[in-house]
Coordinates of all heavy atoms in Angstrom, one line a residue:
I441 N 179.3 68.2 54.2 CA 178.7 69.0 55.3 C 177.5 68.5 55.9 O 176.5 68.0 55.2 CB 178.2 70.4 54.6 CG1 179.3 71.1 53.9 CG2 177.6 71.4 55.6 CD1 179.0 72.2 52.9
D442 N 177.7 68.1 57.1 CA 176.6 67.5 58.0 C 175.7 68.6 58.5 O 176.3 69.6 59.1 CB 177.1 66.6 59.1 CG 177.7 65.3 58.5 OD1 177.7 65.1 57.3 OD2 178.4 64.7 59.3
I443 N 174.4 68.6 58.4 CA 173.5 69.6 59.0 C 172.7 68.7 60.0 O 171.8 68.0 59.6 CB 172.7 70.3 58.0 CG1 173.6 70.9 56.9 CG2 171.8 71.2 58.6 CD1 173.7 70.3 55.6
D444 N 172.8 69.0 61.3 CA 172.1 68.2 62.3 C 170.8 68.9 62.8 O 170.0 68.3 63.3 CB 173.1 68.1 63.5 CG 174.4 67.5 63.3 OD1 174.5 66.9 62.2 OD2 175.3 67.6 63.9
T445 N 170.7 70.3 62.7 CA 169.6 70.9 63.5 C 168.8 71.9 62.6 O 169.2 72.2 61.5 CB 170.3 71.7 64.7 OG1 171.1 72.8 64.1 CG2 171.2 70.9 65.6
Y446 N 167.8 72.3 63.2 CA 167.0 73.4 62.6 C 167.7 74.6 62.5 O 167.7 75.2 61.4 CB 165.6 73.6 63.4 CG 164.8 74.6 63.1 CD1 163.9 74.5 62.0 CD2 164.7 75.8 63.8 CE1 163.0 75.6 61.6 CE2 163.8 76.8 63.5 CZ 163.0 76.7 62.4 OH 162.0 77.6 62.1
R447 N 168.3 75.1 63.4 CA 169.2 76.3 63.5 C 170.2 76.2 62.4 O 170.5 77.2 61.6 CB 169.8 76.7 64.7 CG 170.5 77.9 64.8 CD 171.1 78.2 66.2 NE 171.9 79.4 66.2 CZ 172.8 79.8 67.1 NH1 172.9 79.0 68.2 NH2 173.5 80.8 67.0
G448 N 170.9 75.1 62.4 CA 172.0 74.9 61.4 C 171.4 74.9 60.0 O 172.1 75.5 59.1
T449 N 170.2 74.5 59.8 CA 169.6 74.4 58.4 C 169.3 75.9 58.1 O 169.5 76.3 56.9 CB 168.4 73.5 58.4 OG1 168.8 72.3 58.8 CG2 167.9 73.3 56.9
R450 N 168.7 76.6 59.1 CA 168.1 78.0 58.7 C 169.3 78.9 58.6 O 169.2 79.9 57.7 CB 167.3 78.4 59.8 CG 165.9 77.6 59.8 CD 164.9 78.1 58.7 NE 164.7 79.5 58.7 CZ 163.6 80.1 59.4 NH1 162.8 79.3 60.1 NH2 163.4 81.3 59.4
E451 N 170.3 78.9 59.3 CA 171.3 79.8 59.3 C 172.7 79.5 58.7 O 173.2 79.9 57.8 CB 171.6 80.4 60.7 CG 170.3 80.9 61.4 CD 170.4 81.2 62.8 OE1 171.7 81.3 63.5 OE2 169.5 81.5 63.5
G452 N 173.3 78.3 59.4 CA 174.7 77.9 59.0 C 174.7 77.4 57.6 O 175.6 77.7 56.8
T453 N 173.7 76.7 57.0 CA 173.7 76.2 55.7 C 173.8 77.4 54.7 O 174.6 77.3 53.7 CB 172.5 75.3 55.4 OG1 172.5 74.3 56.2 CG2 172.3 75.0 54.0
L454 N 173.0 78.5 54.8 CA 173.0 79.5 53.9 C 174.2 80.3 53.9 O 174.8 80.8 53.0 CB 171.9 80.4 54.1 CG 170.5 79.6 54.0 CD1 169.3 80.7 54.1 CD2 170.3 78.8 52.7
N455 N 174.9 80.4 55.2 CA 176.2 81.1 55.3 C 177.3 80.3 54.5 O 178.1 80.8 53.8 CB 176.6 81.1 56.7 CG 175.9 82.1 57.6 OD1 175.2 83.1 57.0 ND2 175.7 81.8 58.9
L456 N 177.2 78.9 54.6 CA 178.2 78.1 53.9 C 178.0 78.1 52.4 O 178.9 78.1 51.6 CB 178.0 76.6 54.3 CG 178.6 76.4 55.8 CD1 178.2 74.9 56.1 CD2 180.1 76.5 55.8
V457 N 176.7 78.2 51.9 CA 176.5 78.4 50.5 C 177.2 79.7 49.9 O 177.9 79.7 49.0 CB 175.0 78.4 50.3 CG1 174.8 79.1 48.8 CG2 174.4 77.1 50.4
R458 N 177.1 80.7 50.7 CA 177.8 81.9 50.3 C 179.2 81.9 50.3 O 179.9 82.3 49.4 CB 177.3 83.1 51.4 CG 175.8 83.6 51.1 CD 175.5 84.9 51.9 NE 175.5 84.6 53.2 CZ 174.3 84.3 53.9 NH1 173.1 84.2 53.2 NH2 174.2 84.1 55.2

Side-chain angles (χ1 to χ4, degrees):
I441 302 168
D442 291 353
I443 302 104
D444 299 346
T445 66
Y446 175 74
R447 180 184 177 190
T449 309
R450 291 288 301 271
E451 300 174 16
T453 294
L454 302 186
N455 290 336
L456 287 170
V457 165
R458 287 190 286 270

